[in-house]
């Protein structure tokens, strides 16, 4: 969703509340593509605090559909994001805390705020690299691919030491048939 900031930037002290909804879509992070959704709309409060500087504040619940890093089952997680940014509209810089240090941003273009990009910037900071369906996930069998959380298999799970492969080859050569 995009919000036109021309009205709010024109008058210092002006405040605006906008009902927002994030568009569903596919996102890539850590070489993994996953789906994100925002089930409920949320209200964003925009305030013009000084010349060309506005503050943006909102709370949003974002849902991600990712795959478990061990068993490849679907994992649905909710993330409660509290976004509070001070944005310089002209310089395209933002400050996320009271430190006064501004960073370059990509979610402002031609005095338009891209709320989806702002949410993604915030979401990337809280998403774990690997997600598990549960703490004691057993994963999948390396031989047959069975999900070990749902059933067991009779595959040989012993992983031979690669340094002993030469001896294993010699023994296999002279094995009696």
């Amino acid at each position: 969703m995009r919000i036109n900031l021309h009205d709010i930037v024109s008058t210092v002290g002006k405040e605006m509340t906008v009902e927002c909804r994030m568009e569903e879509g596919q996102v890539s992070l850590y070489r993994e593509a996953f789906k994100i959704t925002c089930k409920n709309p949320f209200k964003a409060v925009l305030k013009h605090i000084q010349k060309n500087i506005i503050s943006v504040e909102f709370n949003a619940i974002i849902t991600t559909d990712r795959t478990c890093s061990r068993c490849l089952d679907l994992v649905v997680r909710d993330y409660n994001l509290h976004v509070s940014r001070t944005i310089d509209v002209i310089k395209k810089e933002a400050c996320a805390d009271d430190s006064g240090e501004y960073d370059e941003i990509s979610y402002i273009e031609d005095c338009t705020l891209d709320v989806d990009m702002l949410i993604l910037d915030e979401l990337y900071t809280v998403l774990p690299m690997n997600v598990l369906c549960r703490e004691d996930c057993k994963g999948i069998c390396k031989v047959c691919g069975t999900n070990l959380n749902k059933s067991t298999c009779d595959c040989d799970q012993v992983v031979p030491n690669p340094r002993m492969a030469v001896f294993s080859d010699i023994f296999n050569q002279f094995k009696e048939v």
Side-chain angles (χ1 to χ4, degrees), residues 112-155:
T112 303
L113 173 66
D114 189 343
V115 177
D116 295 347
M117 287 293 292
L118 176 57
I119 289 174
L120 285 177
D121 279 0
E122 196 68 27
L123 186 64
Y124 286 158
T125 63
V126 296
L127 281 177
M129 288 181 73
N130 297 317
V131 65
L132 299 178
C133 59
R134 59 184 199 222
E135 287 296 318
D136 62 339
C137 178
K138 297 176 185 174
I140 58 174
C141 174
K142 297 173 188 166
V143 179
C144 68
T146 300
N147 186 339
L148 299 174
N149 295 319
K150 297 177 181 173
S151 63
T152 59
C153 63
D154 296 330
C155 297

Side-chain angles (χ1 to χ4, degrees), residues 44-116:
V45 178
L46 299 117
K47 295 178 187 173
H48 188 175
I49 49 181
Q50 21 178 313
K51 184 180 179 186
N52 300 325
I53 296 179
I54 62 168
S55 69
V56 178
E57 191 166 336
F58 60 85
N59 290 316
I61 298 173
I62 306 299
T63 304
T64 62
D65 297 352
R66 298 177 69 186
T67 54
C68 177
S69 296
R70 290 185 188 158
C71 69
L72 305 179
D73 277 348
L74 183 66
V75 179
V76 179
R77 292 266 162 82
D78 289 337
Y79 296 94
N80 189 359
L81 297 179
H82 174 73
V83 177
S84 180
R85 300 273 173 105
T86 304
I87 301 170
D88 188 329
V89 179
I90 302 300
K91 293 182 182 178
K92 296 182 184 178
E93 296 178 331
C95 180
D97 53 19
D98 294 331
S99 67
E101 295 180 23
Y102 282 80
D103 297 324
E104 287 188 37
I105 55 174
S106 60
Y107 44 84
I108 294 281
E109 187 173 316
D110 297 330
C111 215
T112 303
L113 173 66
D114 189 343
V115 177
D116 295 347

